[in-house]
Amino acid sequence: MIGSKVIDILVFLSVVETGSFVAAGKSFGLSRSTAGKAVARLEEAYGARLLNRTTRALDLTEEGRSLYEHGLAIRDAIEAADSSIKSDQGVPRGTLRVTAPDALGRRLLLPTVQKYLETWPETQIELSLSDRVDNIIEKGFDLAIRIGVNSPDQSFVTRTLLRDETMLCAAPSYFETRATPLNIEQLSRHDLLQFATRSARQGWHLQDEDGAWVRAQGRVRLRLDSAEALREAAIQGLGIVLLPRLLIGPDFSERRLQQVLPHVSSGRIPIVALYPHKRLLEPKVRRFIDMLSSDLRRLPDQ
């Protein structure tokens, strides 16, 4: 019975990370209905709802978030046991090609890169820092680290390293001539800084005190394709921005930025490792992912 529950928990993790019963089922060779039944069995076993289902999204309940965090530990233990006995487990060697967002790479990846190179002297790393989501196979990357990007198809594997809180913030100077917004509706009177590429534009869905999700309205006069550029624009007082806490934590302590609408939730965003599907993952890739995951989970406020 324990074994079947573990499988259900692993399916539940996949549902949360892909945001889809269909995608989660496919990753286990199951149908959508079978994946749904796995979550239903868990909800019946625990006597609690784990997911709030809407036509647009799947949101974790408090009980669901608790199970998700414990489920990550279960999956990590399985992966550790699996990798410890696989024949390809060995000393990492050769060049590891990694792509990551600019801000995340500069602030959080470089310490792991330094430790990785010191630990495994027979390796080299080529690190591309860009917020563009390139085709990692065509570009020859072994690994992509992304914020809020899930696997585009079943030829890729996605491992969630961390789910980070996103926060609305702005520079103190921005409010020198403007009133601080007191609710989501008052954002419509402010300048919003949002991420955009040629193919997609960011929109903000915020949860008010009543638990309802609302699409924020505001003047978007500046769009940027770089999280680091968005951060810099906010520090310069150009508007209100929504970014992961990991990228802006020091800016709060040093008072370059201040939180806006602290009572409003903007959800948590996954930081993921994305790599081409392989039956046996090379040691150089696995070791880097494991090290980065461990480093991220040791960061303050996580």
Side-chain angles (χ1 to χ4, degrees), residues 130-143:
S130 170
D131 286 338
R132 296 189 307 274
V133 182
D134 291 321
N135 185 312
I136 66 176
I137 293 179
E138 290 181 1
K139 298 293 184 178
F141 291 111
D142 300 298
L143 175 67

Side-chain angles (χ1 to χ4, degrees), residues 88-147:
D88 73 328
Q89 179 67 19
V91 177
R93 296 182 175 86
T95 300
L96 176 66
R97 302 195 70 227
V98 183
T99 177
D102 185 47
L104 180 72
R106 292 175 186 271
R107 295 174 178 274
L108 302 175
L109 250 68
L110 288 180
T112 299
V113 167
Q114 180 182 11
K115 183 165 65 172
Y116 181 89
L117 293 173
E118 291 173 350
T119 303
W120 310 111
E122 296 182 61
T123 60
Q124 304 85 41
I125 290 181
E126 294 181 5
L127 180 60
S128 173
L129 299 181
S130 170
D131 286 338
R132 296 189 307 274
V133 182
D134 291 321
N135 185 312
I136 66 176
I137 293 179
E138 290 181 1
K139 298 293 184 178
F141 291 111
D142 300 298
L143 175 67
I145 308 299
R146 292 297 177 215
I147 300 177

